[in-house]
Amino acid sequence: MSKLILYGTEASPPVRAAKLTLAALGIPYEYVKINTLAKETLSPEFLRKNPQHTVPTLEDDGHFIWDSHAISAYLVSKYGQSDGLYPKDLLKRAVVDQRLHFESGVVFVNGLRSITKPLFASGQTTIPKERYDAVIEIYNFIETFLTGHDFIAGDQLTIADFSLITSITALAVFVDIDPVKYANITAWIKRIEELPYYEEACGKGARDLVTLLKKFNFTFST
């Protein structure tokens, strides 16, 4: 087996999604911490690895892959002893892919990053109300996806759960998840957090992000 190196920062939800996949597969790897706040991703050395200068970035035998969704799918396809986390069945895979695209385009970009980028880039602590509404819409979709199912893409744990658990719990810093209104989400979060590898792969990084975000005295506009 070739040597795997994951470049990332613990607080990053996408990095933790990749780490959850690696942990679920039981794959040994080297983890290299990258300080994104210090703009280490913009160094010439890192840009040669990933010209988009994003984390996570995976190195596999001299080849570089970035985007957590691509990394997770690649890892299961190449190293998984089964296809459970990313099914080969086309219909099942289509559902997983849909959830991954939903996480990437709706949850992360339209939800989380649209709030955090102004916070970090310009200290904008008054968050437009439409961002609150967008998060509520995301919660409503996730609650529906989970109706009658234990996991986000059906009754089996997949890489879609790893992607969404990291971003949804980050959104919860800004908009609480009502345990009554969102009983399915609440139960699903607990289910994922009880995975034997969750704490090491994701728990500490999730708490680090919560601590970082709560330093901003943010409010939503009315």
Side-chain angles (χ1 to χ4, degrees):
M1 179 177 172
S2 56
K3 180 181 180 181
L4 293 174
I5 303 174
L6 185 71
Y7 301 86
T9 181
E10 294 285 343
S12 163
V15 170
R16 287 185 276 117
K19 291 187 73 173
L20 282 167
T21 302
L22 285 159
L25 294 171
I27 302 174
Y29 66 99
E30 178 184 350
Y31 181 63
V32 176
K33 293 183 179 180
I34 300 294
N35 188 337
T36 54
L37 295 179
K39 299 185 178 181
E40 289 181 358
T41 54
L42 296 177
S43 70
E45 181 184 3
F46 193 86
L47 288 171
R48 283 193 293 270
K49 296 178 174 67
N50 174 356
Q52 280 189 265
H53 51 84
T54 56
V55 290
T57 294
L58 179 74
E59 180 176 353
D60 186 359
D61 196 25
H63 301 282
F64 297 95
I65 304 166
W66 54 92
D67 183 280
S68 61
H69 312 86
I71 289 171
S72 293
Y74 170 80
L75 289 169
V76 177
S77 299
K78 183 172 182 179
Y79 296 108
Q81 294 183 359
S82 74
D83 68 338
L85 289 171
Y86 192 48
K88 292 179 181 177
D89 178 273
L90 294 180
L91 285 174
K92 291 180 180 178
R93 176 167 289 199
V95 176
V96 175
D97 286 341
Q98 185 278 324
R99 303 298 195 257
L100 291 173
H101 288 299
F102 173 78
E103 193 281 332
S104 175
V106 178
V107 180
F108 191 79
V109 173
N110 194 49
L112 187 59
R113 193 166 68 180
S114 68
I115 295 173
T116 58
K117 187 174 181 179
L119 278 177
F120 289 116
S122 58
Q124 181 179 321
T125 56
T126 300
I127 304 169
K129 183 181 181 300
E130 56 262 30
R131 301 274 54 84
Y132 176 92
D133 295 338
V135 175
I136 292 298
E137 183 179 50
I138 287 166
Y139 290 171
N140 290 337
F141 280 131
I142 297 292
E143 183 72 8
T144 300
F145 294 161
L146 288 165
T147 300
H149 302 290
D150 285 344
F151 299 102
I152 205 69
D155 296 319
Q156 181 170 295
L157 180 72
T158 69
I159 59 174
D161 292 284
F162 298 155
S163 285
L164 279 157
I165 192 68
T166 61
S167 52
I168 291 298
T169 52
L171 281 178
V173 176
F174 300 100
V175 181
D176 289 336
I177 298 172
D178 185 329
V180 176
K181 182 179 180 181
Y182 300 115
N184 291 332
I185 297 177
T186 302
W188 167 71
I189 291 173
K190 186 174 186 295
R191 197 171 293 121
I192 302 300
E193 289 178 342
E194 289 175 347
L195 293 170
Y197 46 81
Y198 176 86
E199 177 57 31
E200 183 176 353
C202 187
K204 181 183 181 301
R207 291 191 295 275
D208 287 347
L209 180 60
V210 169
T211 299
L212 179 63
L213 292 176
K214 285 189 173 180
K215 290 180 179 179
F216 295 94
N217 188 24
F218 60 82
T219 57
F220 284 96
S221 62
T222 55

